[in-house]
Coordinates of all heavy atoms in Angstrom, one line a residue:
S66 N 2.9 15.5 11.9 CA 2.4 14.2 11.6 C 1.1 14.1 10.9 O 0.2 14.9 11.2 CB 2.4 13.3 12.9 OG 3.6 13.2 13.5
L67 N 0.8 13.0 10.1 CA -0.4 12.8 9.5 C -0.6 11.3 9.5 O 0.3 10.5 9.5 CB -0.6 13.3 8.1 CG -0.8 14.9 7.9 CD1 -0.7 15.2 6.4 CD2 -2.1 15.2 8.5
R68 N -1.9 10.9 9.4 CA -2.2 9.5 9.3 C -3.1 9.3 8.2 O -4.2 9.7 8.2 CB -2.8 8.9 10.6 CG -3.1 7.4 10.5 CD -3.7 6.9 11.9 NE -2.7 7.0 13.0 CZ -3.1 7.0 14.2 NH1 -4.3 6.9 14.7 NH2 -2.1 7.0 15.2
L69 N -2.7 8.4 7.2 CA -3.6 8.1 6.1 C -4.2 6.7 6.4 O -3.7 5.9 7.0 CB -2.8 8.0 4.9 CG -2.0 9.2 4.4 CD1 -1.2 8.9 3.1 CD2 -3.0 10.4 4.2
S70 N -5.4 6.6 5.9 CA -6.1 5.3 6.0 C -6.7 4.9 4.7 O -6.9 5.7 3.9 CB -7.1 5.4 7.1 OG -8.2 6.3 6.7
C71 N -6.8 3.6 4.5 CA -7.4 3.1 3.3 C -8.2 1.9 3.6 O -7.8 1.0 4.4 CB -6.2 2.7 2.3 SG -6.9 2.1 0.8
A72 N -9.5 1.9 3.2 CA -10.4 0.8 3.5 C -10.9 0.2 2.1 O -11.3 1.0 1.3 CB -11.6 1.2 4.2
A73 N -10.8 -1.0 2.0 CA -11.3 -1.7 0.8 C -12.7 -2.4 1.1 O -13.0 -2.9 2.1 CB -10.4 -2.9 0.5
S74 N -13.6 -1.9 0.2 CA -14.9 -2.4 0.3 C -15.3 -3.2 -1.0 O -14.7 -3.1 -2.0 CB -15.8 -1.2 0.4 OG -15.8 -0.2 -0.6
G75 N -16.4 -4.0 -0.8 CA -16.9 -4.7 -1.9 C -16.6 -6.2 -1.7 O -16.3 -6.7 -0.7
R76 N -16.7 -7.0 -2.8 CA -16.5 -8.5 -2.6 C -15.1 -8.7 -2.3 O -14.2 -8.2 -3.0 CB -17.0 -9.0 -4.0 CG -17.1 -10.6 -3.8 CD -17.6 -11.2 -5.1 NE -17.8 -12.6 -5.0 CZ -18.4 -13.4 -6.0 NH1 -18.8 -12.8 -7.0 NH2 -18.4 -14.7 -5.8
P77 N -14.9 -9.6 -1.4 CA -13.5 -10.1 -1.1 C -12.7 -10.7 -2.2 O -13.4 -11.5 -2.9 CB -13.7 -11.0 0.1 CG -15.0 -10.7 0.7 CD -15.8 -10.3 -0.4
V78 N -11.5 -10.4 -2.3 CA -10.7 -11.0 -3.3 C -9.4 -11.4 -2.6 O -9.0 -10.8 -1.5 CB -10.3 -10.0 -4.5 CG1 -11.7 -9.7 -5.2 CG2 -9.7 -8.7 -4.0
S79 N -8.6 -12.2 -3.4 CA -7.3 -12.6 -2.9 C -6.4 -11.4 -2.9 O -6.3 -10.8 -4.0 CB -6.8 -13.8 -3.7 OG -7.6 -14.9 -3.5
R80 N -5.7 -11.1 -1.9 CA -4.7 -9.9 -1.8 C -3.4 -10.4 -1.3 O -3.3 -11.0 -0.3 CB -5.3 -8.8 -0.9 CG -6.7 -8.3 -1.2 CD -7.2 -7.3 -0.2 NE -8.5 -7.0 -0.5 CZ -9.6 -7.6 0.1 NH1 -9.4 -8.5 0.9 NH2 -10.9 -7.1 -0.2
Y81 N -2.3 -10.0 -2.0 CA -1.0 -10.2 -1.6 C -0.5 -9.2 -0.6 O 0.2 -9.5 0.4 CB -0.1 -10.3 -2.8 CG 1.4 -10.4 -2.4 CD1 2.0 -11.6 -1.9 CD2 2.2 -9.3 -2.8 CE1 3.3 -11.6 -1.6 CE2 3.6 -9.4 -2.4 CZ 4.1 -10.6 -1.8 OH 5.4 -10.7 -1.6
A82 N -0.7 -7.9 -0.9 CA -0.2 -6.8 -0.1 C -1.1 -5.6 -0.2 O -1.9 -5.5 -1.3 CB 1.3 -6.5 -0.4
M83 N -1.0 -4.7 0.6 CA -1.7 -3.4 0.6 C -0.9 -2.3 1.1 O -0.1 -2.5 2.0 CB -3.0 -3.5 1.4 CG -4.0 -2.4 1.2 SD -5.5 -3.0 2.0 CE -6.6 -1.5 1.7
G84 N -0.9 -1.2 0.3 CA 0.0 0.0 0.8 C -0.2 1.2 -0.1 O -1.3 1.4 -0.6
W85 N 0.9 2.0 -0.2 CA 0.7 3.3 -0.9 C 1.9 3.5 -1.9 O 3.0 3.2 -1.6 CB 0.8 4.4 0.2 CG -0.5 4.7 0.7 CD1 -1.4 5.7 0.2 CD2 -1.1 4.3 2.0 NE1 -2.4 5.9 1.1 CE2 -2.3 4.9 2.1 CE3 -0.6 3.3 2.9 CZ2 -3.2 4.6 3.2 CZ3 -1.5 3.0 3.9 CH2 -2.7 3.6 4.1
F86 N 1.6 4.2 -2.9 CA 2.4 4.9 -3.7 C 2.2 6.3 -3.6 O 1.2 6.8 -3.1 CB 2.3 4.6 -5.2 CG 2.7 3.2 -5.7 CD1 2.1 2.1 -5.4 CD2 3.9 3.0 -6.4 CE1 2.5 0.8 -5.7 CE2 4.4 1.8 -6.7 CZ 3.7 0.7 -6.5
R87 N 3.1 7.3 -4.1 CA 3.0 8.7 -4.1 C 3.5 9.4 -5.4 O 4.4 8.8 -5.9 CB 3.6 9.3 -2.9 CG 5.1 9.4 -2.8 CD 5.5 9.9 -1.5 NE 7.0 10.0 -1.4 CZ 7.7 10.3 -0.3 NH1 7.0 10.6 0.9 NH2 9.0 10.2 -0.3
Q88 N 2.9 10.4 -5.8 CA 3.5 11.2 -6.8 C 3.6 12.6 -6.5 O 2.5 13.2 -6.3 CB 2.6 10.9 -8.1 CG 3.2 11.6 -9.4 CD 2.5 10.9 -10.6 OE1 1.5 10.4 -10.6 NE2 3.2 11.0 -11.8
A89 N 4.8 13.2 -6.6 CA 4.9 14.6 -6.4 C 4.9 15.3 -7.6 O 5.2 14.8 -8.7 CB 6.3 14.8 -5.6
P90 N 4.6 16.7 -7.6 CA 4.6 17.5 -8.9 C 5.9 17.3 -9.6 O 7.0 17.5 -9.0 CB 4.3 19.0 -8.4 CG 3.6 18.7 -7.1 CD 4.2 17.6 -6.5
G91 N 5.8 17.0 -10.9 CA 7.0 17.0 -11.8 C 7.8 15.7 -11.6 O 9.0 15.6 -12.2
K92 N 7.4 14.8 -10.8 CA 8.1 13.5 -10.5 C 7.2 12.2 -10.9 O 6.1 12.4 -11.0 CB 8.6 13.6 -9.1 CG 9.5 14.5 -8.6 CD 10.0 14.4 -7.2 CE 10.9 13.2 -7.1 NZ 11.5 13.0 -5.7
E93 N 8.0 11.2 -11.1 CA 7.2 10.0 -11.3 C 6.7 9.4 -10.1 O 7.2 9.6 -9.0 CB 8.2 9.0 -12.1 CG 9.4 8.4 -11.3 CD 10.3 7.6 -12.1 OE1 10.0 7.3 -13.3 OE2 11.2 7.0 -11.5
R94 N 5.7 8.5 -10.3 CA 5.2 7.8 -9.1 C 6.3 6.9 -8.5 O 6.9 6.2 -9.2 CB 4.0 7.0 -9.6 CG 3.2 6.3 -8.6 CD 2.1 5.5 -9.0 NE 2.5 4.4 -9.8 CZ 1.8 3.6 -10.5 NH1 0.4 3.7 -10.4 NH2 2.2 2.6 -11.2
E95 N 6.2 6.8 -7.2 CA 7.1 6.0 -6.6 C 6.4 5.1 -5.4 O 5.4 5.7 -4.8 CB 8.3 6.9 -5.8 CG 7.9 7.7 -4.7 CD 9.1 8.4 -4.0 OE1 10.2 7.8 -4.1 OE2 8.8 9.4 -3.2
F96 N 7.0 4.1 -5.1 CA 6.5 3.2 -4.1 C 6.9 3.8 -2.7 O 8.0 4.4 -2.6 CB 7.1 1.8 -4.2 CG 7.0 1.0 -2.9 CD1 5.8 0.3 -2.7 CD2 8.0 0.8 -2.1 CE1 5.7 -0.4 -1.6 CE2 7.9 0.0 -0.9 CZ 6.7 -0.6 -0.7
V97 N 6.0 3.7 -1.7 CA 6.3 4.3 -0.4 C 6.3 3.3 0.6 O 7.3 3.1 1.3 CB 5.1 5.3 0.0 CG1 5.3 5.8 1.4 CG2 4.9 6.4 -1.0
A98 N 5.2 2.4 0.8 CA 5.3 1.4 1.8 C 4.1 0.4 1.5 O 3.1 0.8 0.9 CB 5.1 2.0 3.2
R99 N 4.3 -0.8 2.0 CA 3.2 -1.8 1.9 C 3.4 -2.8 3.0 O 4.4 -3.0 3.7 CB 3.3 -2.5 0.5 CG 4.4 -3.4 0.4 CD 4.3 -4.1 -1.1 NE 5.5 -5.0 -1.2 CZ 5.5 -5.7 -2.4 NH1 4.6 -5.7 -3.3 NH2 6.5 -6.6 -2.5
I100 N 2.3 -3.4 3.4 CA 2.3 -4.7 4.3 C 1.8 -5.8 3.4 O 1.0 -5.9 2.7 CB 1.3 -4.4 5.3 CG1 1.4 -5.5 6.4 CG2 -0.1 -4.0 5.0 CD1 0.8 -5.3 7.7
I101 N 2.7 -6.9 3.5 CA 2.4 -8.2 2.9 C 1.7 -9.0 3.9 O 2.2 -9.3 5.0 CB 3.7 -8.9 2.4 CG1 4.5 -8.0 1.4 CG2 3.5 -10.2 1.9 CD1 5.9 -8.5 1.2
W102 N 0.5 -9.3 3.5 CA -0.4 -10.0 4.5 C 0.1 -11.3 5.1 O 0.0 -11.6 6.2 CB -1.9 -10.1 4.0 CG -2.5 -8.8 3.6 CD1 -2.9 -8.4 2.4 CD2 -2.9 -7.8 4.6 NE1 -3.5 -7.1 2.5 CE2 -3.5 -6.8 3.8 CE3 -2.6 -7.6 5.9 CZ2 -3.9 -5.6 4.4 CZ3 -3.1 -6.5 6.5 CH2 -3.7 -5.5 5.8
R103 N 0.6 -12.1 4.1 CA 1.2 -13.4 4.6 C 2.5 -13.2 5.3 O 3.6 -12.8 4.6 CB 1.4 -14.3 3.3 CG 1.8 -15.7 3.7 CD 1.8 -16.6 2.5 NE 2.1 -18.0 2.8 CZ 2.2 -19.0 2.1 NH1 1.7 -18.8 0.8 NH2 2.4 -20.2 2.4
G104 N 2.5 -13.3 6.6 CA 3.7 -13.0 7.4 C 3.7 -11.6 8.1 O 4.5 -11.4 8.9
D105 N 2.7 -10.8 7.7 CA 2.6 -9.5 8.2 C 4.0 -8.7 8.1 O 4.5 -8.1 9.1 CB 2.2 -9.5 9.7 CG 1.7 -8.2 10.2 OD1 1.0 -7.5 9.4 OD2 1.8 -8.0 11.5
I106 N 4.4 -8.7 6.9 CA 5.8 -8.2 6.6 C 5.7 -6.7 6.0 O 4.8 -6.5 5.2 CB 6.6 -9.0 5.6 CG1 6.8 -10.4 6.3 CG2 7.9 -8.4 5.3 CD1 7.3 -11.4 5.1
T107 N 6.4 -5.8 6.6 CA 6.3 -4.4 6.1 C 7.5 -4.0 5.3 O 8.5 -4.5 5.6 CB 6.1 -3.4 7.3 OG1 7.2 -3.5 8.2 CG2 4.8 -3.6 8.0
E108 N 7.3 -3.2 4.3 CA 8.4 -2.7 3.4 C 8.2 -1.3 3.2 O 7.1 -0.8 3.1 CB 8.3 -3.5 2.1 CG 8.6 -5.0 2.1 CD 8.5 -5.6 0.8 OE1 7.9 -5.1 -0.2 OE2 8.9 -6.8 0.7

């Protein structure tokens, strides 16, 4: 197991969702997961 963290710093802005993409060697970038703040919905 591993745990990734991400922290946003700076002036607050309107945000719809926050999450991760990933890119493996030789492959295109792909969506991994996100949390939609309105409703606390995960995908």
Side-chain angles (χ1 to χ4, degrees):
S66 299
L67 285 173
R68 180 181 294 162
L69 301 179
S70 64
C71 180
S74 62
R76 188 173 182 178
V78 297
S79 296
R80 304 178 187 92
Y81 172 71
M83 195 170 176
W85 274 270
F86 285 78
R87 69 184 180 186
Q88 187 165 21
K92 299 184 66 177
E93 65 182 5
R94 185 183 63 181
E95 68 171 341
F96 167 78
V97 179
R99 70 177 181 177
I100 180 168
I101 302 172
W102 295 120
R103 186 172 184 176
D105 199 29
I106 300 168
T107 57
E108 298 178 340

